Amino acid sequence: MIDKIDNQILDLIQADSRLTNAEIAEKVGLSQSACHRRVKQLEDAGVIEGYSARINRGAIGLNVFAYVFVKLDFHTEENIDAFERGVNLIEEVVSCSAISGGGDYILQVVARDMDGFAEVALKKLARLPGVKDSSSNFVLSTMKQSAGWPLSI
């Protein structure tokens, strides 16, 4: 069970995963050993899955960001498994989720430019096993991007 102090720890880590254990302990009012123990428990329980840095995609030349909706032609276990294995091999696909509604999957896809995106869409995504249809929506600007999950809801 996650309590108020665990939530504070998680908020701090989500905002800045480079904080030291001593800094976190001071901010939540725990001793360093008690704080370390709680962080370790959160890691062991799978609540904290890892630590990473947020990279500005434009600064590294990934100027195209699109949401791609994919529909499969058949929903057999074999077809779904083949699609999911294939999509996991495409580096430009940074996220893939099964969804409800009009499509089967929503993918987040990045590319250096539109030619690069066309290459991914036409030569990689369209050729995945079982793909019946896809549609792309390009991100023009991002107004909000959270550093983590809202823990107070």
Side-chain angles (χ1 to χ4, degrees):
M1 195 69 187
I2 295 176
D3 64 15
K4 182 180 175 182
I5 293 176
D6 289 337
N7 271 342
Q8 290 174 324
I9 291 169
L10 293 170
D11 269 335
L12 290 166
I13 290 171
Q14 284 188 135
D16 183 359
S17 65
R18 295 182 67 179
L19 288 173
T20 66
N21 183 63
E23 291 169 324
I24 297 169
E26 181 181 330
K27 291 176 187 287
V28 299
L30 290 176
S31 70
Q32 289 185 33
S33 60
C35 183
H36 182 266
R37 193 169 31 258
R38 280 182 179 254
V39 171
K40 180 76 171 118
Q41 288 172 341
L42 291 165
E43 291 170 346
D44 291 346
V47 175
I48 298 173
E49 294 181 327
Y51 300 88
S52 63
R54 286 189 312 274
I55 309 293
N56 178 319
R57 68 178 169 76
I60 59 170
L62 297 175
N63 298 306
V64 174
F65 179 41
Y67 289 92
V68 178
F69 296 87
V70 173
K71 293 181 186 179
L72 300 182
D73 52 6
F74 301 105
H75 295 94
T76 65
E77 188 173 335
E78 181 179 320
N79 201 32
I80 291 169
D81 288 346
F83 171 80
E84 290 178 0
R85 279 192 309 276
V87 83
N88 275 296
L89 298 175
I90 301 172
E91 185 178 17
E92 295 89 349
V93 176
V94 295
S95 174
C96 176
S97 300
I99 59 171
S100 64
D104 296 311
Y105 293 92
I106 184 171
L107 288 61
Q108 292 180 344
V109 179
V110 294
R112 294 209 174 276
D113 52 32
M114 285 304 292
D115 289 338
F117 179 82
E119 180 87 11
V120 173
L122 298 173
K123 294 189 177 171
K124 295 181 181 181
L125 294 177
R127 295 179 183 176
L128 285 173
V131 171
K132 175 183 179 182
D133 185 34
S134 69
S135 64
S136 302
N137 293 288
F138 296 94
V139 174
L140 302 176
S141 67
T142 301
M143 280 58 56
K144 179 180 178 180
Q145 185 167 338
S146 297
W149 303 110
L151 300 172
S152 60
I153 57 173

